Amino acid sequence: MSKQVIVLNGGSSAGKSGIVRCLQAILPDPWLAVGVDRLIEAMPATMRSPESIDFAADGTVIVGPEFDRLQEAWMAGVAATVGAGAHVIVDDVFLGGAGSQQRWRAVLDGLDVLWVGVRCAAEVAAGREIARGDRVRGMAVAQADSVHQGVVYDVEVDTTHTESIVCARTIAARL
């Protein structure tokens, strides 16, 4: 196993977090899990604004310059953690599609990365979104396809009808 980083990209409620937990359970070495949701949770509530990050009633996510600045620092921290010897799984939502991947590519330059697309039919993700109860309705549908626009993957999985553990095994086989 030579990969140092696994980057999972998919829309809200696509099943990325479940796959991350399964990967941590089946991979022989310890892998740290980091994700954009945890970054947002770490931010003070005062950052929930159009200048930072805001969630519109229709599920649209509005990202401003303050969020971008903190996200860049967080991403650099993830890369430094990998550089210090840890294996890391990143759970992200590429709101900017290919542009978001380019930001990660720049910060992870020189590291061995496995790029994973996590897809899920919009209507299935929307049902999960409702069941979760912790997301603004509409995020899953808005992000289901847009986060994959122009993104290049090493492997893709689809959680529409496939369990997280099966997806994790598919990903692990590519390491």
Side-chain angles (χ1 to χ4, degrees):
M1 181 180 334
S2 64
K3 299 291 183 197
Q4 299 165 289
V5 184
I6 301 170
V7 177
L8 278 69
N9 172 49
S12 179
S13 300
K16 298 178 307 295
S17 298
I19 292 171
V20 169
R21 286 188 298 274
C22 289
L23 282 167
Q24 288 180 305
I26 67 172
L27 293 174
D29 297 322
W31 286 72
L32 298 175
V34 299
V36 70
D37 287 347
R38 291 185 186 149
L39 170 64
I40 293 167
E41 290 167 4
M43 294 179 176
T46 56
M47 296 241 354
R48 303 281 163 81
S49 70
E51 294 78 37
S52 300
I53 187 165
D54 204 11
F55 303 92
D58 67 355
T60 303
V61 180
I62 301 130
V63 176
E66 286 183 29
F67 179 83
D68 283 340
R69 183 179 60 78
L70 287 177
Q71 186 179 37
E72 288 290 334
W74 171 72
M75 291 167 68
V78 170
T81 300
V82 176
H87 290 92
V88 175
I89 305 168
V90 177
D91 172 345
D92 205 348
V93 178
F94 289 1
L95 293 175
S100 297
Q101 185 179 37
Q102 278 308 114
R103 289 173 66 189
W104 272 114
R105 283 190 187 280
V107 79
L108 299 174
D109 186 45
L111 300 173
D112 200 354
V113 180
L114 182 71
W115 299 94
V116 180
V118 179
R119 295 185 182 269
C120 182
E123 64 276 4
V124 172
R128 293 176 186 168
E129 178 179 77
I130 291 168
R132 289 175 73 148
D134 66 348
R135 295 284 190 263
V136 176
R137 278 185 157 181
M139 284 176 58
V141 170
Q143 297 172 3
D145 293 320
S146 66
V147 300
H148 299 290
Q149 296 299 311
V151 180
V152 177
Y153 299 112
D154 298 310
V155 62
E156 293 186 51
V157 295
D158 190 322
T159 66
T160 304
H161 303 291
T162 307
E163 293 295 326
S164 295
I165 189 65
V166 175
C167 294
R169 288 183 183 132
T170 300
I171 295 164
R174 295 297 303 268
L175 293 175

